[in-house]
Amino acid sequence: MTHRTACRVAFFAVMAPAFLMNPVTAFTKSASVPMTRESPAAEIRPFRVSIPQAALDDLRQRVLATRWPDRETVNDDSQGVKQATLQELARYWATDYDWRKVETQLNSLPQFVTHIDGLDIHFIHVKSRHPHALPLIITHGWPGSILEMIDAIGPLTDPTAFGGKAEDAFDVVIPSIPGYGFSERPAQTGWGPERVGRAWDVLMKRLGYTHYVSQGGDHGSVISDAMARQAPAGLLGIHLSMPATLPDAVVQAINNGGPAPVGLSAKERAAFDSLYAFFSRNAAYGAMMVTRPQTVGYALSDSPVGLAGWMYEKIAQWTYSGGVPERSLTRDQILDDISLYWLTNSAVSAARFYWENNNNNFSASAQKTRDIALPVAVTVFPGEIYRAPETWTRQAYPSLMYFHEVDKGGHFAAWEEPELFARELRDAFRPLRGK
């Protein structure tokens, strides 16, 4: 058993008794959530995951009945996920994988649903046992989910159990973006980053927090940027693992397929090359979801193996794993995430968030980062889509208070390196405590 696995088992062993014996009652008591009297819609209701067995049986039958295409005509992954790789993943999914394990893990945590701006929002809320814990809301992205964050809950809420100090503890709130996981799917347009950011502020204040911080990667970075621009009362600062730092000249060069701007430093040129390769060879998934989420959604909602291929490719590319994601994550963790999308039928509603956010998420100008006056912290993980140079980051975020480059982890930082991720948040937000 690895140190990471041992810590994970220990954390959930401590959490489980309080929540498994009587989940609904335990959730309500454990979270100490004040129930508002404004209206029934503003209430916070305990939530428990319970996927019908018939849905799991149907999933297995569909995987086993997959009609496979020809194998790729190359010896690498330049045409996409190799057939042999996906066939082995599908074989394990249909014969050995057990969804009930992650369902039990989720149900060992305090989960809730509350109605905000017309939608039911699902979230995990774990309060620290340490006094004066700093409230923190963490937002996932695509192809991730709340499952990215659950191994970081222990190090964040109970730092003393992971080599940290009690004064660095957080209360942790992990919501599912509308259209993802167990949050309600929007039936109308308009649920982009700005609206989600406003909903997150309502959520934190409904939980009784007057001050809090926000963290995000992928969509979560875009949503945290939006929150910082909105600067609601009580938001102290944000931490980003996928910051929007690209100068206009770099964006223009990439868009035009031109050469790199002159005068780039070695780190800036490396960032340019990474993004040039990303947009020229690896961004078709985004183009599809930005322009035609409904069209691609028919295939993703009908074929679990099609969904797995669509998601696995990006998990492989974006983990710090050299293209072999099982070096960073277990096969079960990968299938937990893919299964969550399948079992909630959220592939198309998740894709629509790209349609709503039809923007360059790496561009400083597009994300209006210079409008942000709140403190900003950035951690650069080496397996991220691009490694944001400090020079670009300081230009993009004038209120930058923390910048650090770490030596492991990728796009899914909390999922891949939960303890390192937690240490970064402790260091980044330490100056904001007590404000």
Side-chain angles (χ1 to χ4, degrees):
M1 181 181 293
T2 65
H3 173 68
R4 171 178 170 180
T5 303
C7 291
R8 181 182 184 188
V9 170
F11 172 70
F12 283 102
V14 171
M15 295 293 292
F19 302 115
L20 288 179
M21 294 177 63
N22 189 345
V24 171
T25 304
F27 285 1
T28 305
K29 289 180 179 177
S30 177
S32 302
V33 177
M35 296 293 185
T36 178
R37 301 185 181 215
E38 325 170 357
S39 70
E43 290 181 352
I44 297 173
R45 312 184 302 279
F47 180 86
R48 182 176 175 83
V49 180
S50 182
I51 300 297
Q53 185 59 42
L56 300 177
D57 294 341
D58 175 71
L59 169 57
R60 288 193 175 90
Q61 290 167 6
R62 286 172 180 262
V63 173
L64 290 170
T66 298
R67 184 176 72 166
W68 292 94
D70 299 343
R71 73 174 298 277
E72 61 281 355
T73 57
V74 293
N75 294 321
D76 55 26
D77 61 359
S78 60
Q79 293 181 351
V81 181
K82 289 184 176 182
Q83 185 187 78
T85 300
L86 200 59
Q87 284 182 332
E88 175 55 25
L89 187 71
R91 182 206 63 77
Y92 180 81
W93 201 7
T95 59
D96 298 326
Y97 172 74
D98 183 3
W99 163 263
R100 297 300 183 196
K101 290 182 180 179
V102 73
E103 184 174 272
T104 298
Q105 187 180 20
L106 282 170
N107 286 336
S108 73
L109 295 167
Q111 300 174 84
F112 301 91
V113 170
T114 192
H115 203 71
I116 300 175
D117 196 8
L119 295 180
D120 277 349
I121 302 298
H122 166 260
F123 63 98
I124 296 168
H125 182 202
V126 180
K127 298 190 73 173
S128 174
R129 66 186 177 89
H130 299 292
H132 312 300
L134 179 63
L136 164 69
I137 185 166
I138 309 177
T139 310
H140 64 86
W142 183 94
S145 65
I146 57 168
L147 296 177
E148 292 179 61
M149 316 303 177
I150 56 178
D151 282 352
I153 293 173
L156 288 167
T157 60
D158 192 10
T160 58
F162 295 85
K165 298 178 181 179
E167 55 265 33
D168 287 331
F170 295 91
D171 283 356
V172 175
V173 178
I174 308 171
S176 296
I177 296 171
Y180 284 74
F182 301 108
S183 281
E184 189 174 351
R185 298 191 290 268
Q188 289 86 32
T189 60
W191 275 97
E194 301 285 342
R195 191 169 179 181
V196 175
R198 289 190 292 270
W200 281 187
D201 182 61
V202 171
L203 174 60
M204 294 303 280
K205 286 167 181 171
R206 188 170 293 176
L207 291 171
Y209 295 124
T210 57
H211 295 87
Y212 67 95
V213 292
S214 176
Q215 195 283 331
D218 196 85
H219 290 330
S221 286
V222 180
I223 291 166
S224 291
D225 272 342
M227 295 175 71
R229 288 194 302 271
Q230 294 162 358
L235 177 60
L236 300 176
I238 64 171
H239 176 277
L240 309 170
S241 54
M242 195 189 81
T245 70
L246 268 62
D248 290 343
V250 170
V251 173
Q252 183 176 0
I254 292 173
N255 288 346
N256 295 339
V262 297
L264 297 183
S265 69
K267 286 188 175 182
E268 291 168 347
R269 180 56 193 257
F272 175 88
D273 290 344
S274 294
L275 285 164
Y276 193 92
F278 171 76
F279 281 110
S280 61
R281 300 293 300 173
N282 295 311
Y285 78 98
M288 284 294 296
M289 294 195 288
V290 162
T291 60
R292 293 295 185 270
Q294 192 70 25
T295 300
V296 72
Y298 295 119
L300 302 181
S301 299
D302 187 62
S303 169
V305 168
L307 177 66
W310 188 251
M311 296 175 64
Y312 182 90
E313 176 183 294
K314 294 311 169 193
I315 295 172
Q317 287 182 339
W318 297 347
T319 45
Y320 191 47
S321 64
V324 184
E326 292 83 0
R327 293 173 181 166
S328 296
L329 304 166
T330 68
R331 187 162 48 176
D332 278 0
Q333 284 178 301
I334 295 169
L335 286 172
D336 289 343
D337 188 55
I338 297 170
S339 298
L340 177 62
Y341 277 76
W342 176 263
L343 295 169
T344 57
N345 194 19
S346 55
V348 67
S349 55
R352 287 194 196 108
F353 192 83
Y354 279 80
W355 186 89
E356 295 282 358
N357 178 36
N358 188 0
N359 215 337
N360 186 331
N361 294 335
F362 303 109
S363 165
S365 292
Q367 295 304 319
K368 303 177 183 177
T369 58
R370 296 189 66 83
D371 292 348
I372 295 173
L374 289 175
V376 175
V378 168
T379 299
V380 178
F381 291 87
E384 186 51 271
I385 294 171
Y386 84 111
R387 301 186 192 186
E390 185 171 4
T391 49
W392 291 356
T393 306
R394 293 197 178 279
Q395 291 169 11
Y397 296 93
S399 57
L400 187 73
M401 66 167 184
Y402 179 89
F403 180 91
H404 190 214
E405 300 173 28
V406 295
D407 61 358
K408 55 185 176 179
H411 185 71
F412 310 97
W415 208 12
E416 299 174 60
E417 300 291 341
E419 292 187 50
L420 174 59
F421 173 81
R423 288 198 299 272
E424 282 300 299
L425 267 60
R426 292 177 207 150
D427 291 344
F429 288 130
R430 191 171 291 123
L432 302 182
R433 291 180 182 271
K435 291 190 176 182

